[in-house]
Amino acid sequence: MNRSLVIYFGFLAITILGIFISHQTSFEIATPRIWNYENVLFMCIGIPFIFLIPKAGIPEFWESQISVKNKVWMPMLIGLAFGLTDLLIVEYGLEHPPHKVLPPYTQPFPYSLFLFFSGAFEIEVFYRLIPIGIVLFFSNRYVNEKAIPTLFWGIALLTSLREPLEQFPSGPLWFIIYALLSGFAMNLIQAIYLKKSGFISSLLIRLSHYLIWHILNGVIIEFFLLKTTS
């Protein structure tokens, strides 16, 4: 069976496990954010596009010819850098009242591991794998070869704008500018890594960002800050 397909089903299994974990989680200090089986079925939309990957000029999910440094370690370092910057700026650079409950961008640990993995997986499928895969697939067949890089950069820029605009920030002007630019930059880097190193690399950038910003941040608030204010 196609290795990318096996990995994709593995990711779906993690999202299903997350649904089970959510039923064992107490949400007394947080607003529940729970996936259901309809979400898992929705993610199956991405399965046919896995077969477009080689025809679109995108590496397989785990391409053996690409070094581990380029497909794992560098994407992780990039994501960690974005996550740490967000953590420092939002939690310690912006003025806000002390946390009384977990903020909406966090969830109780260890459920947060599964929820934010599922969220990262969903975004990478629908914000990158599908739109970029479609554009490159048709470009490789019906467009002059010299125009393909231009089309890639066009779809990369458009998909990179989507998340920052959908999650338009509020707050001081400097923070709005920072959030828009950093969100756009991270998404654009992910598009580049999808093209040169594959889906796993793009996903790892987001997962590493989420590890700091959503998960570690939630752990700090849940187990340290809330304990001191209770």
Side-chain angles (χ1 to χ4, degrees):
M1 185 183 293
N2 184 294
R3 182 185 297 181
S4 297
L5 191 61
V6 172
I7 295 173
Y8 197 95
F9 279 118
F11 290 163
L12 288 176
I14 295 174
T15 66
I16 293 171
L17 180 58
I19 295 173
F20 283 106
I21 298 295
S22 71
H23 297 315
Q24 314 301 321
T25 300
S26 171
F27 292 98
E28 293 179 0
I29 59 172
T31 301
R33 295 172 61 185
I34 299 174
W35 270 42
N36 53 47
Y37 294 107
E38 286 77 8
N39 295 107
V40 178
L41 291 174
F42 184 63
M43 292 303 298
C44 291
I45 294 174
I47 292 174
F49 294 92
I50 294 173
F51 299 99
L52 294 184
I53 287 175
K55 300 175 182 178
I58 297 173
E60 297 284 354
F61 276 32
W62 190 261
E63 179 59 64
S64 57
Q65 295 181 350
I66 299 174
S67 69
V68 175
K69 174 185 175 182
N70 288 329
K71 65 188 175 188
V72 175
W73 301 125
M74 285 304 298
M76 288 181 64
L77 286 174
I78 292 168
L80 291 172
F82 275 104
L84 182 60
T85 304
D86 280 354
L87 178 65
L88 293 175
I89 286 179
V90 176
E91 293 296 341
Y92 303 104
L94 287 176
E95 292 186 5
H96 54 75
H99 294 294
K100 301 295 184 183
V101 295
L102 284 174
Y105 45 85
T106 63
Q107 287 286 279
F109 184 85
Y111 170 62
S112 56
L113 291 169
F114 296 92
L115 176 71
F116 291 113
F117 174 87
S118 302
F121 179 35
E122 179 183 31
I123 286 179
E124 293 312 303
V125 168
F126 290 100
Y127 285 44
R128 256 165 291 284
L129 179 65
I130 292 177
I132 294 178
I134 289 175
V135 169
L136 291 181
F137 172 77
F138 284 103
S139 297
N140 285 340
R141 273 154 180 71
Y142 304 112
V143 177
N144 186 287
E145 185 176 352
K146 294 181 179 179
I148 293 177
T150 301
L151 290 172
F152 165 71
W153 283 109
I155 189 62
L157 290 170
L158 288 174
T159 55
S160 299
L161 284 169
R162 179 178 173 181
E163 184 183 26
L165 293 179
E166 284 183 347
Q167 301 181 17
F168 200 89
S170 60
L173 179 60
W174 69 265
F175 174 71
I176 294 175
I177 294 172
Y178 160 77
L180 290 173
L181 290 178
S182 65
F184 172 77
M186 193 180 88
N187 278 268
L188 182 59
I189 293 171
Q190 287 182 275
I192 294 169
Y193 265 89
L194 173 70
K195 180 67 171 65
K196 76 174 187 176
S197 299
F199 181 82
I200 295 292
S201 300
S202 177
L203 178 63
L204 280 173
I205 293 175
R206 184 165 296 273
L207 285 176
S208 300
H209 173 265
Y210 282 9
L211 180 64
I212 300 294
W213 169 235
H214 292 301
I215 298 170
L216 178 61
N217 192 16
V219 168
I220 294 171
I221 295 171
E222 179 178 2
F223 295 103
F224 296 95
L225 299 184
L226 294 184
K227 299 293 184 182
T228 62
T229 57
S230 60

